[in-house]
Amino acid sequence: QVQVVESGGGLVQAGGSLRLSCAASGRIFSIGDMGWYRQAPGKQREVVASISSGGSTTNYADSVKGRFTISRDNAKKAVYLQMNSLKPEDTAVYYCYGRIKAYGSGYADYWGQGTQVTVSS
């Protein structure tokens, strides 16, 4: 069984920073791409950032480029999202995902339960 768990959300003032963490655990053979999505109230879930298995390739939504940085630590089976210069429009539930191959299975996408980020103006 594979689990993905986020942490690090909270309430911050506009212009502030937060760092989200996400760790995968269980019978994991390998992990491919990892990343973050978010969903604001009344809106569809949107991709925020992604990172390749080796960490050499990253992609960002236009709305967060230059403010957010995604990174990963493969030894810890973890991915992080450093969020700087936060804006009220960044308020959302942030979800971590990982494309994970468990022992005895093929690759599948596993999602965390989400962590709330609230940016006050």
Side-chain angles (χ1 to χ4, degrees):
Q1 187 176 359
V2 174
Q3 287 188 318
V4 175
V5 179
E6 305 103 333
S7 61
L11 173 64
V12 64
Q13 287 189 330
S17 299
L18 280 175
R19 186 178 189 240
L20 304 183
S21 299
C22 171
S25 62
R27 292 177 50 80
I28 296 172
F29 179 78
S30 65
I31 304 178
D33 290 356
M34 301 185 81
W36 295 89
Y37 278 67
R38 67 185 181 186
Q39 187 166 19
K43 295 188 177 181
Q44 289 188 328
R45 190 176 295 192
E46 62 176 359
V47 62
V48 176
S50 65
I51 186 167
S52 60
S53 57
S56 61
T57 302
T58 57
N59 291 287
Y60 297 93
D62 288 343
S63 58
V64 307
K65 281 181 181 176
R67 300 188 297 121
F68 291 11
T69 302
I70 189 170
S71 61
R72 65 189 288 167
D73 183 335
N74 286 337
K76 295 182 179 179
K77 299 183 178 63
V79 63
Y80 309 98
L81 188 68
Q82 177 66 43
M83 305 185 293
N84 299 329
S85 302
L86 282 161
K87 304 176 181 179
E89 51 263 44
D90 294 318
T91 295
V93 177
Y94 284 69
Y95 297 90
C96 168
Y97 79 91
R99 183 150 292 173
I100 297 172
K101 179 176 172 57
Y103 283 99
S105 301
Y107 278 98
D109 288 338
Y110 290 84
W111 293 84
Q113 79 288 351
T115 186
Q116 177 71 46
V117 172
T118 303
V119 184
S120 63
S121 56

